[in-house]
Amino acid sequence: MVSVADLLTDGRLPGNYFAQDLYVRGSTELGLLENRRGDRLLAIPDSLLQAIYSGLEKETGQASGLVLYNCGRWWGKNFYARFCEELADYYKQPLSSLSMAEFLQSLQQCWKTHGWGQIHLDITYRDRGFLGVEIWHSPFTAAAPQGQKPAGDLERGILEIFFSQLTGRELRCAQTSCTAKGDDCNRFVLGLEKRLQPVEAMVASGQAHQAIMQTLMQQG
C-alpha cells in the first residue's frame, strides 16, 4: 500500500500550482490582486482592450498587427521567464525535468487563470516538425476589429517566443484560423520559418486549417 507520506514533497502534496482559487489572491478594500508568490497582477477590462485595438488601428493603420506582434514577443519572453521560475520554485526542479503531463497541465491552467482563454496543444504533427496550438475564448481577438483577416498577432508573438525559448530553436508562428473572422477558435502552427512561408498566402486565399496542415505535411 502506498503511504501518503511517500506522495509528499518537502512535507506537501504537489498539486496544480496555477489553480485559480489558490493562485489569485486579492484585497477588495485595497483594490489589489496578487499571485500566490505576492507578485502584483493587473485586471484589464474588455473596454480597455477594445480601446487599445481601436487606438492602434487609428494611429498605426496596417502596422497595428506588427505592433501587437512585437508586443507579444516582449510579453512572451517575460511570461516564459516567470513561468519557468514559478514552476521551478514549486516543484523544486527545472522546467526541463517536468513530465509532459505536468507541463501541459501547468500551461493550460496558467493560461486560463490569467484570463487569456483556454489553450490546447496539438502534437499530431510533431514528427514532421510542427506544433499546433488552439486558443478558445480569447479575450484578445474578441476585442479586436472583426473582419476577414486573422487578428491574433499578440498571441502569435507570445507563442512564438515562448516555444522558441522552450525548445531552444528559432521558431516562427503563423495563424490559420481566428474568431475575429468567424472561426470557432484561434489556431496557430509553429515551425521553422522556411517551412511556414506558404501559410500566409494559403490563409489569404481562404484555405481552412486542416487543408493548410495537409499541404505542410506534403512538403519535403
Side-chain angles (χ1 to χ4, degrees):
M1 180 179 294
V2 177
S3 168
V4 173
D6 295 334
L7 300 176
L8 299 178
T9 301
D10 295 333
R12 63 182 176 82
L13 182 64
N16 190 336
Y17 174 76
F18 292 104
Q20 186 167 358
D21 57 341
L22 297 174
Y23 186 77
V24 179
R25 302 172 181 180
S27 168
T28 54
E29 293 181 358
L30 298 176
L32 295 177
L33 283 178
E34 297 177 338
N35 66 15
R36 60 194 301 173
R37 295 200 313 172
D39 299 328
R40 294 284 295 274
L41 298 174
L42 177 66
I44 302 177
D46 291 340
S47 56
L48 177 57
L49 273 180
Q50 293 166 0
I52 290 172
Y53 276 94
S54 176
L56 279 175
E57 188 75 19
K58 291 180 180 178
E59 292 296 327
T60 63
Q62 293 183 349
S64 60
L66 179 60
V67 173
L68 288 165
Y69 165 73
N70 286 324
C71 287
R73 283 183 59 89
W74 179 86
W75 187 353
K77 180 179 179 180
N78 288 277
F79 169 55
Y80 177 78
R82 289 197 313 273
F83 184 77
C84 291
E85 183 180 339
E86 291 188 55
L87 289 184
D89 287 347
Y90 183 68
Y91 286 106
K92 306 303 180 186
Q93 56 183 328
L95 183 65
S96 58
S97 298
L98 297 184
S99 67
M100 179 60 74
E102 289 172 326
F103 166 75
L104 288 176
Q105 180 193 51
S106 296
L107 180 61
Q108 289 171 343
Q109 187 61 56
C110 176
W111 206 273
K112 182 179 180 180
T113 295
H114 281 87
W116 302 341
Q118 295 174 306
I119 190 170
H120 171 73
L121 302 189
D122 182 0
I123 60 174
T124 305
Y125 315 103
R126 63 178 179 179
D127 291 341
R128 299 300 301 272
F130 298 103
L131 173 66
V133 180
E134 295 179 354
I135 298 179
W136 297 79
H137 313 298
S138 165
F140 304 111
T141 50
Q146 309 298 292
Q148 298 303 311
K149 297 189 302 180
D153 296 290
L154 183 71
E155 292 164 312
R156 184 166 62 90
I158 294 172
L159 295 172
E160 187 173 281
I161 198 67
F162 182 92
F163 284 100
S164 289
Q165 293 191 83
L166 180 67
T167 61
R169 304 287 299 275
E170 189 65 31
L171 302 179
R172 288 291 178 264
C173 181
Q175 186 173 9
T176 56
S177 73
C178 184
T179 56
K181 63 185 191 70
D183 296 318
D184 57 347
C185 74
N186 297 334
R187 292 183 176 86
F188 303 86
V189 57
L190 289 132
L192 297 178
E193 181 176 13
K194 182 178 180 180
R195 301 193 66 194
L196 288 183
Q197 285 179 351
V199 174
E200 184 176 351
M202 288 189 283
V203 172
S205 67
Q207 293 190 40
H209 172 77
Q210 289 300 330
I212 292 172
M213 294 312 300
Q214 288 176 4
T215 300
L216 292 179
M217 293 302 99
Q218 295 169 2
Q219 291 182 157

